Amino acid sequence: MSTPIRYYFSLFILVIFTGCGATPGFTTSKKTLPNAPTYTYIDTKGNTYAISQNKFIYDPVSEDDTIDGLDDEGYHQEINISLNDYAKIAAACDRQFEETQKELPANYNGNVIPTLLRSYPDRTDELTLSIKGVDELDYILIPYIGNE
């Protein structure tokens, strides 16, 4: 291929990519969802999980077997997550708000009433979870904190 043809071919390819919205070599902006809520889940032991569009924060009730009598629940973790991970977690949380939550049984002996918060800039929705809701959220969230 001669030099002028190569030049015009390269220019043609560049026009095709930029014409369809692609910008070769540029990834400067982080993708976000407008008006996406943040979620805070407090499990039956009091561990807190805070989820935003790009961050997953796990704050355990106790990091050590200490005199407080609480089990070791691992260590505080802040994990960067993808927008796809956020969307998966958000869908699981939103599903809890759509389902009817059964009252906790009379013999429930958890340390804390399990709660899910969904926070928007102008309001916060709060939900007391059933044991089924706790199980469903634990299934989605526990893998993010690993074996801690």
Side-chain angles (χ1 to χ4, degrees):
M1 215 184 268
S2 68
T3 303
I5 293 173
R6 208 174 305 159
Y7 170 77
Y8 288 118
F9 181 74
S10 298
L11 187 59
F12 175 74
I13 295 298
L14 182 62
V15 168
I16 293 295
F17 280 128
T18 56
C20 69
T23 309
F26 294 106
T27 57
T28 57
S29 65
K30 285 190 171 186
K31 293 181 182 180
T32 60
L33 299 171
N35 303 318
T38 59
Y39 298 90
T40 304
Y41 165 54
I42 303 169
D43 69 14
T44 57
K45 295 180 180 178
N47 302 313
T48 303
Y49 306 76
I51 301 100
S52 64
Q53 289 189 53
N54 49 17
K55 183 95 43 192
F56 177 97
I57 299 171
Y58 172 68
D59 195 22
V61 69
S62 178
E63 292 187 355
D64 299 309
D65 280 324
T66 60
I67 60 172
D68 61 10
L70 300 172
D71 292 333
D72 177 4
E73 292 295 311
Y75 297 98
H76 175 86
Q77 296 182 44
E78 292 188 25
I79 303 162
N80 293 325
I81 59 173
S82 70
L83 200 53
N84 286 338
D85 286 334
Y86 169 80
K88 180 174 79 171
I89 294 168
C93 291
D94 288 339
R95 190 170 35 256
Q96 298 310 312
F97 280 96
E98 294 167 5
E99 293 180 3
T100 302
Q101 301 290 323
K102 294 182 180 178
E103 286 188 31
L104 294 171
N107 63 350
Y108 171 73
N109 59 1
N111 297 330
V112 177
I113 302 297
T115 306
L116 179 62
L117 303 172
R118 178 174 53 190
S119 300
Y120 295 94
D122 60 339
R123 76 174 199 278
T124 298
D125 303 327
E126 183 174 344
L127 179 67
T128 299
L129 293 166
S130 66
I131 296 301
K132 180 181 179 223
V134 168
D135 290 344
E136 289 175 4
L137 288 179
D138 285 350
Y139 180 78
I140 296 292
L141 299 176
I142 297 299
Y144 286 96
I145 59 174
N147 294 329
E148 290 299 314

